[in-house]
Amino acid sequence: MTSLSYLTLDKDVRQLRATDFDDFGRQISGGVQSAADKGYDEARKVWNATVDRRPAMIARCLTDADVQAAVRFAAAHHILLSVRGGGHHIAGNAVAEGGLMIDLSGMKAITIDAARRRARVGGGALLVDVDRAAHAHGLATPLGINSTTGVAGLTLGGGFGWLTRQHGLAIDNLLGATVVTADGVVRSLSATSQPDLFWALRGGGGNFGVVTSFEFRLHPVGPEVYAGLVVYPFAQARSVLRAWRDFCATASDALSVWSVMRQAPPLPFLPEAVHGSMVVILPLLYSGSVADGERAAAPVATFGDPIAVALGPTPYAGFQTAFDPLLTPGAHNYWKSNNFSSLGDAALDVFIDAAARLPGPQCEIFIAQLGGAMARVDVQATAFAARDARFIMNVHGRWSDARDDDGVRTWARQVFEQAAPHATGSGYVNFLTEDEAERVAASYGVNHARLQSIKQRFDPANLFRMNLNIEPRVRP
Ligand SMILES: Cc1cc2nc3c(=O)[nH]c(=O)nc-3n(C[C@H](O)[C@H](O)[C@H](O)COP(=O)(O)OP(=O)(O)OC[C@H]3O[C@@H](n4cnc5c(N)ncnc54)[C@H](O)[C@@H]3O)c2cc1C
């Protein structure tokens, strides 16, 4: 059966008998909600306010058995199924319109084994949960830069942040996972237990099952690290970004310096006169000792004439929340993203020209510096194929008034198109929007065909398709 024919089989949930609902409700320990229930509207909300979908049922799963029951119910009744981890994905795939949403927000348990440097993390945990629990032992694993993001979605798509250049992607530190596959079976995966499926999980998004727990390798980090921001006026963007790009080429793996062009937020260390003016922000973190970090990061304040240098020792878990105020849920968001193996002057000029046309005060263009340990992993070692992405650019279109919808989307698409000739052609599935399904195959590159075969084996009916979908290989 192809995924296309399966799509046409989705049953209108209203066709189900009341007894089916009741039986199902009794199987889920956290209960099953529908539109009439208290808390339903809160439970269906995701980070991107543009997404406003109404599932027929929300299964509040608390155990592996709950997830099994929900997967079997959706498969048996041909109901459109979605899985909500942290609800952060820009495309809103966590929520199935008219279908069944598995809500994992009740599965956040974290266990730290400090002696073995391992973390066991529930499938609904947020970054803040892991960062804080590990930080208490002076340990951390590479995750993202916004603490309210879900560990599950971030990890399943690859997962990069401040520690990636030193310790790799989140998936490079994933040692095992427990997953409920489309047949409703609970499987323990690792490099030696069902290695094909474990390979696919590491980058393949939510395509292969519902992960109920992850096991990560931890590294000594901090507890204090050298981190912060250097802020330059936008008028110096050209020389500052060229100096930043050149500096990145030889920077130590322990140091990550990103760049952001946006209007200056009202940060306490910025003069009031600067608030709202265009700036180039270089946020950075050094994951080794504070003294080494101070030395390694010093040149970043010499790329021009900075407005502010706010660098110093800071608790690692604290810095992991530093950007939360700029990334709060509830705004409308539309992103476009490109991967780059290098940044020539012409590419930088595209970003600078686009930033000069920023369509709103919450919009920004950010470029993450990658490479280092992430780039040293073989492209076929995990499903994540963009190992050559030394920089990932993300055009953050963000707005509050629905009337700005078209203007921001058009601007974001234009930046993407203009930057594309300088980019690698692959994408990062965690940043792709709902209208970018055609970029999935290129994003998986040499790994796409193997992913399709594994999908065919474990999810031939494409039950898990509310994601950047890898379709099962259609047999001739
Ligand atoms: C503000 C913000 C900052 C971000 N920063 C970073 C960053 O620094 N680095 C980075 O790499 N990415 C970053 N991202 C992107 C992020 O990795 C993706 O949005 C990711 O999908 C979020 O995971 P989630 O669990 O919160 O999302 P959800 O929307 O809940 O899920 C995303 C996808 O994963 C599936 N899924 C979720 N949980 C499970 C599970 N347990 N089992 C199986 N499938 C599941 C869902 O069905 C969906 O298809 C950021 C996103 C936002 C909004």
Side-chain angles (χ1 to χ4, degrees):
M1 188 186 296
T2 68
S3 57
L4 200 63
S5 65
Y6 187 82
L7 272 174
T8 62
L9 288 180
D10 280 334
K11 233 192 221 162
D12 185 322
V13 179
R14 284 167 301 188
Q15 292 171 21
L16 296 182
R17 290 171 308 166
T19 49
D20 291 328
F21 274 115
D22 293 345
D23 285 351
F24 178 50
R26 275 192 290 274
Q27 291 177 56
I28 307 295
S29 356
V32 176
Q33 288 178 320
S34 59
D37 293 318
K38 195 163 167 260
Y40 168 85
D41 278 323
E42 205 44 46
R44 73 184 179 87
K45 243 186 230 162
V46 289
W47 181 81
N48 184 2
T50 303
V51 178
D52 181 20
R53 300 196 190 124
R54 303 181 68 80
M57 292 174 282
I58 300 177
R60 312 291 298 249
C61 296
L62 302 179
T63 65
D64 287 8
D66 291 345
V67 174
Q68 283 182 286
V71 166
R72 286 184 175 144
F73 184 75
H77 294 286
H78 302 287
I79 296 170
L80 184 63
L81 178 67
S82 71
V83 184
R84 187 191 194 282
H88 258 228
H89 200 290
I90 185 84
N93 283 322
V95 198
E97 177 69 34
L100 168 62
M101 177 173 111
I102 292 181
D103 178 2
L104 296 171
S105 59
M107 296 182 73
K108 287 190 171 140
I110 315 266
T111 315
I112 304 291
D113 181 340
R116 292 176 59 242
R117 293 185 181 163
R118 299 279 187 269
R120 184 44 76 177
V121 176
L126 304 182
L127 268 50
V128 64
D129 303 318
V130 183
D131 287 336
R132 284 197 184 146
H135 187 72
H137 302 275
L139 299 169
T141 200
L143 294 168
I145 58 119
N146 171 222
S147 78
T148 59
T149 310
V151 173
L154 178 129
T155 301
L156 294 172
F160 66 82
W162 297 117
L163 303 181
T164 291
R165 286 171 42 71
Q166 178 81 323
H167 298 298
L169 295 167
I171 49 168
D172 300 330
N173 293 279
L174 186 65
L175 299 171
T178 304
V179 61
V180 177
T181 41
D183 52 6
V185 173
V186 181
R187 298 168 197 266
S188 286
L189 310 182
S190 69
T192 52
S193 165
Q194 313 218 13
D196 262 10
L197 195 52
F198 188 57
W199 175 87
L201 214 64
R202 284 176 292 159
N207 274 284
F208 297 93
V210 185
V211 179
T212 56
S213 75
F214 297 90
E215 190 183 9
F216 290 103
R217 182 187 298 119
L218 299 171
H219 305 272
V221 176
E224 284 208 317
V225 290
Y226 192 78
L229 311 173
V230 181
V231 183
Y232 288 98
F234 187 66
Q236 296 173 24
R238 185 154 294 161
S239 51
V240 166
L241 288 187
R242 288 180 184 190
W244 163 73
R245 180 259 331 264
D246 295 343
F247 175 78
C248 286
T250 55
S252 123
D253 287 354
L255 182 64
S256 294
V257 189
W258 294 16
S259 78
V260 186
M261 283 178 279
R262 58 166 295 129
Q263 291 184 7
L267 297 167
F269 55 83
L270 287 178
E272 222 171 295
V274 172
H275 297 174
S277 69
M278 281 298 295
V279 288
V280 180
I281 302 173
L282 302 182
L284 64 87
L285 181 140
Y286 186 88
S287 58
S289 78
V290 167
D292 288 350
E294 189 168 3
R295 269 190 299 277
V300 180
T302 66
F303 295 163
D305 188 11
I307 300 168
V309 179
L311 298 173
T314 184
Y316 172 74
F319 195 67
Q320 282 290 88
T321 65
F323 300 96
D324 290 359
L326 294 176
L327 297 166
T328 49
H332 295 261
N333 291 273
Y334 183 76
W335 294 357
K336 288 299 269 187
S337 168
N338 274 317
N339 295 346
F340 299 85
S341 55
S342 62
L343 288 176
D345 292 349
L348 294 178
D349 286 349
V350 168
F351 306 148
I352 295 164
D353 290 349
R357 294 180 280 111
L358 220 58
Q362 301 180 68
C363 297
E364 64 184 27
I365 297 178
F366 94 70
I367 307 164
Q369 181 202 2
L370 298 173
M374 161 194 161
R376 289 191 287 271
V377 176
D378 187 83
V379 68
Q380 291 182 297
T382 64
F384 182 92
R387 296 285 174 180
D388 60 344
R390 302 288 161 145
F391 300 93
I392 294 188
M393 180 272 295
N394 201 357
V395 185
H396 274 188
R398 186 175 160 95
W399 67 102
S400 300
D401 185 334
R403 283 171 301 186
D404 294 333
D405 196 295
D406 282 348
V408 178
R409 284 174 195 265
T410 304
W411 168 77
R413 289 183 186 127
Q414 278 170 356
V415 186
F416 170 78
E417 293 300 336
Q418 287 159 0
H422 310 284
T424 62
S426 72
Y428 178 40
V429 290
N430 275 346
F431 286 172
L432 299 187
T433 50
E434 71 284 0
D435 52 7
E436 296 193 303
E438 82 289 350
R439 294 186 67 197
V440 171
S443 300
Y444 288 115
V446 290
N447 293 330
H448 190 245
R450 183 174 172 200
L451 283 165
Q452 283 192 295
S453 315
I454 298 171
K455 179 81 173 171
Q456 175 71 41
R457 249 168 69 210
F458 289 97
D459 185 14
N462 207 1
L463 180 68
F464 300 112
R465 63 176 175 281
M466 289 291 297
N467 41 49
L468 273 301
N469 196 226
I470 297 162
E471 294 203 6
R473 173 169 287 162
V474 180
R475 294 201 177 111

